[in-house]
Amino acid sequence: MTSTSSPLINSQLDLRAPALTQLNRKVAGNWQLLVALILLDSTVLLSGWQIAEIFGNAIDIAENVRHDLASLLPILATQITVLSAAGLYNSGEQGCNYFKLVKALTFFYLLLILVTLFNQPSDLVPWSTFGLSWLLSVSFTCIARFGVDTAIQHLRQKGAVRSSTFVISRLEDREKAAKLITQDSRYNLVGWTDIKSITTDSQTLEATLERICNLNVDEVFVCSWQSIKGKMLLYWKLRNAGITLHILPVELDAIARNLEVKMLGSLPVLQFEQPLIVGSDFFIKRCIDFLCASAFILLAAPLYLVIALAIKLDSPGPIFYKQTRIGLHNKPFKVWKFRTMVVNADKIQKDLEANNEMKDGVLFKIKNDPRITPLGTFLRRYSLDELPQLFNVVLGEMSLVGPRPLPLRDVEKFSEHHFVRHNVMPGITGLWQVSGRSDITDFEQVIALDVSYIESWSLKLDFKILLQTINVIFGKKGAY
């Protein structure tokens, strides 16, 4: 006799069938806070309304109308509904958006005015209480939300009231993803796995999902979503476990400030917002470079003369040092500097290569370089040796801010991905200089800073780097 399986048992074979029905873990973890927030809002809104009626009736005795608690419940329920529709009970930043809170309550009172106007006779709400009730409701609710936000931030700093999160990413994206997630105090990162490990076979994916469930994870962040072969399986497994899934585009971190989410049919599209007039910001940058460099050369002419005279008295040799460096689109040009080394410094460098402190050997940096003259040490410490490069800026070969142009010796050691820095005009100062200068001993860090600057460039960023450069110079940080 053939046994027939129950339809309920067969349904377990379906990808969409969960092992059990349960509440979303994110909601389950926040339901106490959500209930407390609704009760708090209800209390302060009700208090605001009753206080407004007391003082409103004292102002206008002719409209002495008082509502009992039961008659105020529909009004209170409508207020809570409006706040909920505005997203003010969602977890995250929406919950403490005071501007949105004021807009939502103002919308409710405008709606209440319309209802009152169309109600004949107009005895639903006394006119004397409208303004005072709105003012008290907004004030009380904002004060209460501020108190809650402050308390929650305090608890999160101590590790409480956080969502447990798990990251699935490439090894090279792990640090960036972790930094993005942990900078938000809502999240507590409890685990990570390499995305390559779950794309090889389904058993590894199942093991990862089991690990996620055992860690009691509330939310999972996935980088490089397109790399996952079992996307559907991952989605349904997390969905059925009540775990929220996020797609984290870490590669867009540097330029996320220009992104806007649009919908194309049923799919979200990330749109890069463009300025109304394109190209004007770079034109302004070039004008600022030319005007500032020209003005500084004219005003600092006496300083140039003093440094030139000091170099002549300090050691034999020319005042200026001209070196061929690689600039925009890999084109060589002559960089001007005040001489800070002995005349035969280039030849001596070959004997010092073994002492190079840069890990990969692309750049050449050593402390206490014997080639540097006594005056050269002082000039380098305050970056005064770079002043003649303002002539390169005037000639359009360099900018005030940009990736530093490097000598041919360094460029010859470049890997393919290093040449991206030659797609923009080199600068006298840049993120490299304000982020450690010579203290950075890994050229990959230099490239990362250059790429970050290129991706997120703006006039505001240039101005910020210039201000930081002044601070670095006078602080003598990383200069040798």
mmCIF file of all heavy atoms in Angstrom, residues 286-331:
data_model
loop_
_atom_site.group_PDB
_atom_site.id
_atom_site.type_symbol
_atom_site.label_atom_id
_atom_site.label_comp_id
_atom_site.label_asym_id
_atom_site.label_seq_id
_atom_site.Cartn_x
_atom_site.Cartn_y
_atom_site.Cartn_z
ATOM 1 N N ARG A 286 40.426 76.415 -11.913
ATOM 2 C CA ARG A 286 41.592 76.858 -12.683
ATOM 3 C C ARG A 286 41.827 78.359 -12.486
ATOM 4 O O ARG A 286 42.968 78.809 -12.356
ATOM 5 C CB ARG A 286 41.383 76.523 -14.164
ATOM 6 C CG ARG A 286 42.521 76.969 -15.074
ATOM 7 C CD ARG A 286 43.834 76.353 -14.658
ATOM 8 N NE ARG A 286 44.975 77.040 -15.268
ATOM 9 C CZ ARG A 286 46.114 77.250 -14.670
ATOM 10 N NH1 ARG A 286 46.292 76.852 -13.419
ATOM 11 N NH2 ARG A 286 47.098 77.863 -15.283
ATOM 12 N N CYS A 287 40.746 79.134 -12.447
ATOM 13 C CA CYS A 287 40.877 80.579 -12.224
ATOM 14 C C CYS A 287 41.449 80.864 -10.839
ATOM 15 O O CYS A 287 42.317 81.738 -10.675
ATOM 16 C CB CYS A 287 39.519 81.258 -12.379
ATOM 17 S SG CYS A 287 38.890 81.295 -14.074
ATOM 18 N N ILE A 288 40.971 80.133 -9.829
ATOM 19 C CA ILE A 288 41.482 80.313 -8.467
ATOM 20 C C ILE A 288 42.962 79.964 -8.405
ATOM 21 O O ILE A 288 43.761 80.676 -7.781
ATOM 22 C CB ILE A 288 40.674 79.454 -7.473
ATOM 23 C CG1 ILE A 288 39.243 79.992 -7.355
ATOM 24 C CG2 ILE A 288 41.343 79.421 -6.107
ATOM 25 C CD1 ILE A 288 38.334 79.136 -6.491
ATOM 26 N N ASP A 289 43.337 78.857 -9.070
ATOM 27 C CA ASP A 289 44.749 78.462 -9.107
ATOM 28 C C ASP A 289 45.615 79.584 -9.664
ATOM 29 O O ASP A 289 46.641 79.955 -9.067
ATOM 30 C CB ASP A 289 44.922 77.203 -9.965
ATOM 31 C CG ASP A 289 44.460 75.941 -9.256
ATOM 32 O OD1 ASP A 289 44.323 75.974 -8.026
ATOM 33 O OD2 ASP A 289 44.226 74.926 -9.945
ATOM 34 N N PHE A 290 45.210 80.110 -10.810
ATOM 35 C CA PHE A 290 46.007 81.135 -11.486
ATOM 36 C C PHE A 290 46.088 82.411 -10.654
ATOM 37 O O PHE A 290 47.180 82.970 -10.445
ATOM 38 C CB PHE A 290 45.419 81.436 -12.863
ATOM 39 C CG PHE A 290 46.180 82.479 -13.634
ATOM 40 C CD1 PHE A 290 47.325 82.157 -14.333
ATOM 41 C CD2 PHE A 290 45.748 83.806 -13.634
ATOM 42 C CE1 PHE A 290 48.039 83.132 -15.028
ATOM 43 C CE2 PHE A 290 46.451 84.778 -14.327
ATOM 44 C CZ PHE A 290 47.594 84.437 -15.026
ATOM 45 N N LEU A 291 44.955 82.880 -10.157
ATOM 46 C CA LEU A 291 44.916 84.147 -9.430
ATOM 47 C C LEU A 291 45.653 84.037 -8.096
ATOM 48 O O LEU A 291 46.441 84.933 -7.746
ATOM 49 C CB LEU A 291 43.462 84.573 -9.197
ATOM 50 C CG LEU A 291 42.666 84.947 -10.463
ATOM 51 C CD1 LEU A 291 41.212 85.231 -10.117
ATOM 52 C CD2 LEU A 291 43.293 86.167 -11.142
ATOM 53 N N CYS A 292 45.421 82.948 -7.368
ATOM 54 C CA CYS A 292 46.065 82.791 -6.054
ATOM 55 C C CYS A 292 47.575 82.606 -6.203
ATOM 56 O O CYS A 292 48.361 83.193 -5.435
ATOM 57 C CB CYS A 292 45.468 81.596 -5.318
ATOM 58 S SG CYS A 292 43.782 81.869 -4.737
ATOM 59 N N ALA A 293 47.987 81.803 -7.173
ATOM 60 C CA ALA A 293 49.423 81.580 -7.372
ATOM 61 C C ALA A 293 50.114 82.876 -7.790
ATOM 62 O O ALA A 293 51.196 83.208 -7.281
ATOM 63 C CB ALA A 293 49.635 80.494 -8.420
ATOM 64 N N SER A 294 49.513 83.609 -8.715
ATOM 65 C CA SER A 294 50.106 84.869 -9.177
ATOM 66 C C SER A 294 50.197 85.877 -8.048
ATOM 67 O O SER A 294 51.238 86.543 -7.866
ATOM 68 C CB SER A 294 49.271 85.448 -10.326
ATOM 69 O OG SER A 294 49.201 84.544 -11.414
ATOM 70 N N ALA A 295 49.117 85.998 -7.269
ATOM 71 C CA ALA A 295 49.108 86.965 -6.163
ATOM 72 C C ALA A 295 50.153 86.604 -5.111
ATOM 73 O O ALA A 295 50.865 87.483 -4.602
ATOM 74 C CB ALA A 295 47.709 87.008 -5.543
ATOM 75 N N PHE A 296 50.270 85.317 -4.794
ATOM 76 C CA PHE A 296 51.230 84.905 -3.764
ATOM 77 C C PHE A 296 52.664 85.154 -4.231
ATOM 78 O O PHE A 296 53.511 85.602 -3.436
ATOM 79 C CB PHE A 296 51.046 83.424 -3.432
ATOM 80 C CG PHE A 296 51.843 82.993 -2.234
ATOM 81 C CD1 PHE A 296 51.306 83.083 -0.959
ATOM 82 C CD2 PHE A 296 53.146 82.520 -2.376
ATOM 83 C CE1 PHE A 296 52.057 82.703 0.154
ATOM 84 C CE2 PHE A 296 53.893 82.136 -1.283
ATOM 85 C CZ PHE A 296 53.350 82.231 -0.008
ATOM 86 N N ILE A 297 52.951 84.899 -5.497
ATOM 87 C CA ILE A 297 54.307 85.123 -6.015
ATOM 88 C C ILE A 297 54.683 86.597 -5.901
ATOM 89 O O ILE A 297 55.797 86.949 -5.485
ATOM 90 C CB ILE A 297 54.409 84.649 -7.475
ATOM 91 C CG1 ILE A 297 54.334 83.114 -7.533
ATOM 92 C CG2 ILE A 297 55.708 85.136 -8.109
ATOM 93 C CD1 ILE A 297 54.240 82.563 -8.946
ATOM 94 N N LEU A 298 53.732 87.472 -6.226
ATOM 95 C CA LEU A 298 53.999 88.905 -6.157
ATOM 96 C C LEU A 298 54.184 89.368 -4.714
ATOM 97 O O LEU A 298 55.109 90.131 -4.403
ATOM 98 C CB LEU A 298 52.858 89.682 -6.812
ATOM 99 C CG LEU A 298 52.723 89.520 -8.336
ATOM 100 C CD1 LEU A 298 51.471 90.234 -8.842
ATOM 101 C CD2 LEU A 298 53.965 90.067 -9.041
ATOM 102 N N LEU A 299 53.304 88.915 -3.832
ATOM 103 C CA LEU A 299 53.358 89.353 -2.435
ATOM 104 C C LEU A 299 54.548 88.747 -1.692
ATOM 105 O O LEU A 299 55.114 89.372 -0.784
ATOM 106 C CB LEU A 299 52.054 88.986 -1.716
ATOM 107 C CG LEU A 299 50.791 89.695 -2.200
ATOM 108 C CD1 LEU A 299 49.549 89.136 -1.503
ATOM 109 C CD2 LEU A 299 50.896 91.198 -1.960
ATOM 110 N N ALA A 300 54.930 87.531 -2.075
ATOM 111 C CA ALA A 300 56.007 86.836 -1.357
ATOM 112 C C ALA A 300 57.357 86.974 -2.054
ATOM 113 O O ALA A 300 58.299 86.237 -1.723
ATOM 114 C CB ALA A 300 55.645 85.352 -1.204
ATOM 115 N N ALA A 301 57.465 87.902 -2.998
ATOM 116 C CA ALA A 301 58.732 88.091 -3.709
ATOM 117 C C ALA A 301 59.915 88.317 -2.761
ATOM 118 O O ALA A 301 60.992 87.721 -2.957
ATOM 119 C CB ALA A 301 58.607 89.245 -4.705
ATOM 120 N N PRO A 302 59.759 89.119 -1.698
ATOM 121 C CA PRO A 302 60.887 89.282 -0.756
ATOM 122 C C PRO A 302 61.282 87.953 -0.096
ATOM 123 O O PRO A 302 62.477 87.702 0.129
ATOM 124 C CB PRO A 302 60.339 90.269 0.278
ATOM 125 C CG PRO A 302 59.273 91.029 -0.449
ATOM 126 C CD PRO A 302 58.646 90.029 -1.375
ATOM 127 N N LEU A 303 60.310 87.104 0.211
ATOM 128 C CA LEU A 303 60.605 85.811 0.824
ATOM 129 C C LEU A 303 61.397 84.930 -0.139
ATOM 130 O O LEU A 303 62.347 84.241 0.267
ATOM 131 C CB LEU A 303 59.308 85.118 1.229
ATOM 132 C CG LEU A 303 59.440 83.711 1.837
ATOM 133 C CD1 LEU A 303 60.268 83.762 3.118
ATOM 134 C CD2 LEU A 303 58.061 83.114 2.110
ATOM 135 N N TYR A 304 61.022 84.969 -1.400
ATOM 136 C CA TYR A 304 61.759 84.211 -2.420
ATOM 137 C C TYR A 304 63.224 84.667 -2.452
ATOM 138 O O TYR A 304 64.151 83.843 -2.540
ATOM 139 C CB TYR A 304 61.127 84.412 -3.797
ATOM 140 C CG TYR A 304 59.896 83.561 -4.056
ATOM 141 C CD1 TYR A 304 58.667 83.883 -3.518
ATOM 142 C CD2 TYR A 304 59.964 82.433 -4.865
ATOM 143 C CE1 TYR A 304 57.542 83.125 -3.757
ATOM 144 C CE2 TYR A 304 58.842 81.653 -5.125
ATOM 145 C CZ TYR A 304 57.636 82.004 -4.558
ATOM 146 O OH TYR A 304 56.531 81.237 -4.808
ATOM 147 N N LEU A 305 63.434 85.978 -2.391
ATOM 148 C CA LEU A 305 64.795 86.511 -2.445
ATOM 149 C C LEU A 305 65.606 86.107 -1.212
ATOM 150 O O LEU A 305 66.795 85.761 -1.318
ATOM 151 C CB LEU A 305 64.752 88.038 -2.566
ATOM 152 C CG LEU A 305 64.187 88.588 -3.884
ATOM 153 C CD1 LEU A 305 64.074 90.108 -3.830
ATOM 154 C CD2 LEU A 305 65.070 88.158 -5.064
ATOM 155 N N VAL A 306 64.976 86.134 -0.050
ATOM 156 C CA VAL A 306 65.659 85.757 1.196
ATOM 157 C C VAL A 306 66.065 84.285 1.146
ATOM 158 O O VAL A 306 67.197 83.917 1.506
ATOM 159 C CB VAL A 306 64.756 86.031 2.407
ATOM 160 C CG1 VAL A 306 65.353 85.410 3.669
ATOM 161 C CG2 VAL A 306 64.564 87.526 2.605
ATOM 162 N N ILE A 307 65.167 83.414 0.694
ATOM 163 C CA ILE A 307 65.465 81.980 0.620
ATOM 164 C C ILE A 307 66.581 81.726 -0.394
ATOM 165 O O ILE A 307 67.496 80.929 -0.152
ATOM 166 C CB ILE A 307 64.208 81.181 0.251
ATOM 167 C CG1 ILE A 307 63.164 81.283 1.379
ATOM 168 C CG2 ILE A 307 64.550 79.718 -0.020
ATOM 169 C CD1 ILE A 307 61.843 80.618 1.057
ATOM 170 N N ALA A 308 66.507 82.430 -1.537
ATOM 171 C CA ALA A 308 67.532 82.259 -2.571
ATOM 172 C C ALA A 308 68.906 82.649 -2.042
ATOM 173 O O ALA A 308 69.912 81.942 -2.266
ATOM 174 C CB ALA A 308 67.171 83.096 -3.796
ATOM 175 N N LEU A 309 68.984 83.779 -1.323
ATOM 176 C CA LEU A 309 70.253 84.223 -0.758
ATOM 177 C C LEU A 309 70.764 83.231 0.295
ATOM 178 O O LEU A 309 71.964 82.918 0.338
ATOM 179 C CB LEU A 309 70.082 85.610 -0.125
ATOM 180 C CG LEU A 309 71.327 86.224 0.528
ATOM 181 C CD1 LEU A 309 72.441 86.399 -0.505
ATOM 182 C CD2 LEU A 309 70.986 87.562 1.185
ATOM 183 N N ALA A 310 69.845 82.702 1.113
ATOM 184 C CA ALA A 310 70.238 81.754 2.158
ATOM 185 C C ALA A 310 70.791 80.467 1.549
ATOM 186 O O ALA A 310 71.754 79.882 2.068
ATOM 187 C CB ALA A 310 69.042 81.443 3.052
ATOM 188 N N ILE A 311 70.203 80.002 0.442
ATOM 189 C CA ILE A 311 70.686 78.783 -0.223
ATOM 190 C C ILE A 311 72.101 78.993 -0.756
ATOM 191 O O ILE A 311 72.973 78.111 -0.645
ATOM 192 C CB ILE A 311 69.725 78.368 -1.351
ATOM 193 C CG1 ILE A 311 68.383 77.913 -0.761
ATOM 194 C CG2 ILE A 311 70.321 77.261 -2.216
ATOM 195 C CD1 ILE A 311 67.306 77.635 -1.797
ATOM 196 N N LYS A 312 72.350 80.155 -1.334
ATOM 197 C CA LYS A 312 73.682 80.461 -1.870
ATOM 198 C C LYS A 312 74.736 80.465 -0.768
ATOM 199 O O LYS A 312 75.868 80.018 -0.964
ATOM 200 C CB LYS A 312 73.653 81.819 -2.580
ATOM 201 C CG LYS A 312 73.259 81.755 -4.037
ATOM 202 C CD LYS A 312 74.276 80.940 -4.830
ATOM 203 C CE LYS A 312 73.967 80.911 -6.302
ATOM 204 N NZ LYS A 312 74.941 80.044 -7.036
ATOM 205 N N LEU A 313 74.350 80.994 0.407
ATOM 206 C CA LEU A 313 75.297 81.070 1.515
ATOM 207 C C LEU A 313 75.462 79.730 2.219
ATOM 208 O O LEU A 313 76.492 79.485 2.858
ATOM 209 C CB LEU A 313 74.824 82.130 2.527
ATOM 210 C CG LEU A 313 74.777 83.580 2.021
ATOM 211 C CD1 LEU A 313 74.175 84.484 3.084
ATOM 212 C CD2 LEU A 313 76.184 84.058 1.639
ATOM 213 N N ASP A 314 74.461 78.863 2.113
ATOM 214 C CA ASP A 314 74.466 77.597 2.865
ATOM 215 C C ASP A 314 75.351 76.539 2.231
ATOM 216 O O ASP A 314 76.103 75.841 2.922
ATOM 217 C CB ASP A 314 73.029 77.066 2.990
ATOM 218 C CG ASP A 314 72.961 75.758 3.743
ATOM 219 O OD1 ASP A 314 73.275 75.744 4.940
ATOM 220 O OD2 ASP A 314 72.590 74.728 3.115
ATOM 221 N N SER A 315 75.264 76.380 0.909
ATOM 222 C CA SER A 315 76.032 75.319 0.254
ATOM 223 C C SER A 315 76.235 75.675 -1.208
ATOM 224 O O SER A 315 75.440 76.413 -1.798
ATOM 225 C CB SER A 315 75.280 73.981 0.362
ATOM 226 O OG SER A 315 74.026 74.054 -0.296
ATOM 227 N N PRO A 316 77.297 75.150 -1.833
ATOM 228 C CA PRO A 316 77.544 75.446 -3.243
ATOM 229 C C PRO A 316 76.509 74.756 -4.132
ATOM 230 O O PRO A 316 76.036 73.664 -3.826
ATOM 231 C CB PRO A 316 78.947 74.886 -3.478
ATOM 232 C CG PRO A 316 79.108 73.825 -2.433
ATOM 233 C CD PRO A 316 78.351 74.311 -1.237
ATOM 234 N N GLY A 317 76.177 75.433 -5.246
ATOM 235 C CA GLY A 317 75.231 74.852 -6.176
ATOM 236 C C GLY A 317 74.166 75.852 -6.579
ATOM 237 O O GLY A 317 74.118 76.986 -6.076
ATOM 238 N N PRO A 318 73.280 75.471 -7.490
ATOM 239 C CA PRO A 318 72.235 76.384 -7.962
ATOM 240 C C PRO A 318 71.175 76.635 -6.888
ATOM 241 O O PRO A 318 71.049 75.881 -5.915
ATOM 242 C CB PRO A 318 71.637 75.634 -9.152
ATOM 243 C CG PRO A 318 71.883 74.183 -8.855
ATOM 244 C CD PRO A 318 73.203 74.151 -8.147
ATOM 245 N N ILE A 319 70.410 77.695 -7.076
ATOM 246 C CA ILE A 319 69.340 78.039 -6.130
ATOM 247 C C ILE A 319 68.148 77.098 -6.312
ATOM 248 O O ILE A 319 67.576 76.599 -5.342
ATOM 249 C CB ILE A 319 68.907 79.509 -6.330
ATOM 250 C CG1 ILE A 319 70.052 80.447 -5.975
ATOM 251 C CG2 ILE A 319 67.670 79.817 -5.487
ATOM 252 C CD1 ILE A 319 69.785 81.890 -6.301
ATOM 253 N N PHE A 320 67.802 76.869 -7.568
ATOM 254 C CA PHE A 320 66.635 76.043 -7.861
ATOM 255 C C PHE A 320 67.057 74.628 -8.270
ATOM 256 O O PHE A 320 68.141 74.406 -8.804
ATOM 257 C CB PHE A 320 65.808 76.664 -8.985
ATOM 258 C CG PHE A 320 65.223 77.999 -8.637
ATOM 259 C CD1 PHE A 320 65.790 79.170 -9.137
ATOM 260 C CD2 PHE A 320 64.116 78.101 -7.814
ATOM 261 C CE1 PHE A 320 65.265 80.408 -8.825
ATOM 262 C CE2 PHE A 320 63.579 79.334 -7.487
ATOM 263 C CZ PHE A 320 64.155 80.492 -7.992
ATOM 264 N N TYR A 321 66.163 73.709 -8.005
ATOM 265 C CA TYR A 321 66.348 72.329 -8.418
ATOM 266 C C TYR A 321 65.207 71.986 -9.376
ATOM 267 O O TYR A 321 64.030 72.077 -9.021
ATOM 268 C CB TYR A 321 66.335 71.395 -7.214
ATOM 269 C CG TYR A 321 66.321 69.920 -7.574
ATOM 270 C CD1 TYR A 321 67.460 69.313 -8.099
ATOM 271 C CD2 TYR A 321 65.180 69.145 -7.392
ATOM 272 C CE1 TYR A 321 67.459 67.963 -8.422
ATOM 273 C CE2 TYR A 321 65.166 67.798 -7.710
ATOM 274 C CZ TYR A 321 66.305 67.209 -8.231
ATOM 275 O OH TYR A 321 66.308 65.883 -8.560
ATOM 276 N N LYS A 322 65.556 71.624 -10.593
ATOM 277 C CA LYS A 322 64.549 71.278 -11.604
ATOM 278 C C LYS A 322 64.604 69.773 -11.844
ATOM 279 O O LYS A 322 65.675 69.224 -12.109
ATOM 280 C CB LYS A 322 64.805 72.041 -12.898
ATOM 281 C CG LYS A 322 64.580 73.534 -12.789
ATOM 282 C CD LYS A 322 64.771 74.238 -14.116
ATOM 283 C CE LYS A 322 66.243 74.238 -14.519
ATOM 284 N NZ LYS A 322 66.462 74.981 -15.784
ATOM 285 N N GLN A 323 63.449 69.156 -11.745
ATOM 286 C CA GLN A 323 63.372 67.703 -11.922
ATOM 287 C C GLN A 323 62.221 67.354 -12.866
ATOM 288 O O GLN A 323 61.144 67.938 -12.784
ATOM 289 C CB GLN A 323 63.158 66.999 -10.576
ATOM 290 C CG GLN A 323 63.182 65.469 -10.666
ATOM 291 C CD GLN A 323 62.905 64.819 -9.333
ATOM 292 O OE1 GLN A 323 61.969 65.186 -8.632
ATOM 293 N NE2 GLN A 323 63.733 63.835 -8.970
ATOM 294 N N THR A 324 62.457 66.392 -13.743
ATOM 295 C CA THR A 324 61.410 65.939 -14.653
ATOM 296 C C THR A 324 60.425 65.055 -13.897
ATOM 297 O O THR A 324 60.828 64.075 -13.257
ATOM 298 C CB THR A 324 62.001 65.142 -15.829
ATOM 299 O OG1 THR A 324 62.902 65.984 -16.554
ATOM 300 C CG2 THR A 324 60.894 64.671 -16.770
ATOM 301 N N ARG A 325 59.176 65.429 -13.955
ATOM 302 C CA ARG A 325 58.126 64.638 -13.307
ATOM 303 C C ARG A 325 57.007 64.367 -14.310
ATOM 304 O O ARG A 325 56.894 65.038 -15.338
ATOM 305 C CB ARG A 325 57.590 65.340 -12.066
ATOM 306 C CG ARG A 325 58.678 65.554 -11.012
ATOM 307 C CD ARG A 325 58.124 65.660 -9.633
ATOM 308 N NE ARG A 325 59.170 65.786 -8.633
ATOM 309 C CZ ARG A 325 58.948 65.812 -7.327
ATOM 310 N NH1 ARG A 325 57.710 65.729 -6.872
ATOM 311 N NH2 ARG A 325 59.950 65.926 -6.481
ATOM 312 N N ILE A 326 56.179 63.398 -13.982
ATOM 313 C CA ILE A 326 55.109 62.979 -14.886
ATOM 314 C C ILE A 326 53.804 63.602 -14.424
ATOM 315 O O ILE A 326 53.400 63.441 -13.261
ATOM 316 C CB ILE A 326 54.991 61.440 -14.922
ATOM 317 C CG1 ILE A 326 56.354 60.818 -15.217
ATOM 318 C CG2 ILE A 326 53.969 61.019 -15.966
ATOM 319 C CD1 ILE A 326 56.978 61.270 -16.518
ATOM 320 N N GLY A 327 53.158 64.301 -15.339
ATOM 321 C CA GLY A 327 51.941 65.016 -14.988
ATOM 322 C C GLY A 327 50.698 64.488 -15.680
ATOM 323 O O GLY A 327 50.539 63.274 -15.863
ATOM 324 N N LEU A 328 49.832 65.398 -16.054
ATOM 325 C CA LEU A 328 48.548 65.051 -16.658
ATOM 326 C C LEU A 328 48.747 64.242 -17.936
ATOM 327 O O LEU A 328 49.551 64.608 -18.793
ATOM 328 C CB LEU A 328 47.767 66.340 -16.943
ATOM 329 C CG LEU A 328 46.360 66.194 -17.512
ATOM 330 C CD1 LEU A 328 45.442 65.475 -16.526
ATOM 331 C CD2 LEU A 328 45.779 67.564 -17.863
ATOM 332 N N HIS A 329 48.023 63.128 -18.060
ATOM 333 C CA HIS A 329 48.077 62.228 -19.224
ATOM 334 C C HIS A 329 49.487 61.730 -19.499
ATOM 335 O O HIS A 329 49.907 61.601 -20.663
ATOM 336 C CB HIS A 329 47.506 62.924 -20.465
ATOM 337 C CG HIS A 329 46.089 63.386 -20.285
ATOM 338 N ND1 HIS A 329 45.108 62.591 -19.743
ATOM 339 C CD2 HIS A 329 45.496 64.580 -20.590
ATOM 340 C CE1 HIS A 329 43.967 63.269 -19.707
ATOM 341 N NE2 HIS A 329 44.167 64.469 -20.206
ATOM 342 N N ASN A 330 50.243 61.490 -18.406
ATOM 343 C CA ASN A 330 51.587 60.909 -18.479
ATOM 344 C C ASN A 330 52.596 61.791 -19.211
ATOM 345 O O ASN A 330 53.623 61.299 -19.691
ATOM 346 C CB ASN A 330 51.543 59.529 -19.154
ATOM 347 C CG ASN A 330 50.686 58.538 -18.400
ATOM 348 O OD1 ASN A 330 50.735 58.480 -17.178
ATOM 349 N ND2 ASN A 330 49.892 57.762 -19.120
ATOM 350 N N LYS A 331 52.314 63.088 -19.299
ATOM 351 C CA LYS A 331 53.239 63.996 -19.976
ATOM 352 C C LYS A 331 54.294 64.507 -18.997
ATOM 353 O O LYS A 331 53.964 64.984 -17.908
ATOM 354 C CB LYS A 331 52.473 65.175 -20.581
ATOM 355 C CG LYS A 331 51.536 64.783 -21.716
ATOM 356 C CD LYS A 331 50.840 65.999 -22.294
ATOM 357 C CE LYS A 331 49.923 65.614 -23.448
ATOM 358 N NZ LYS A 331 49.201 66.785 -24.010
#
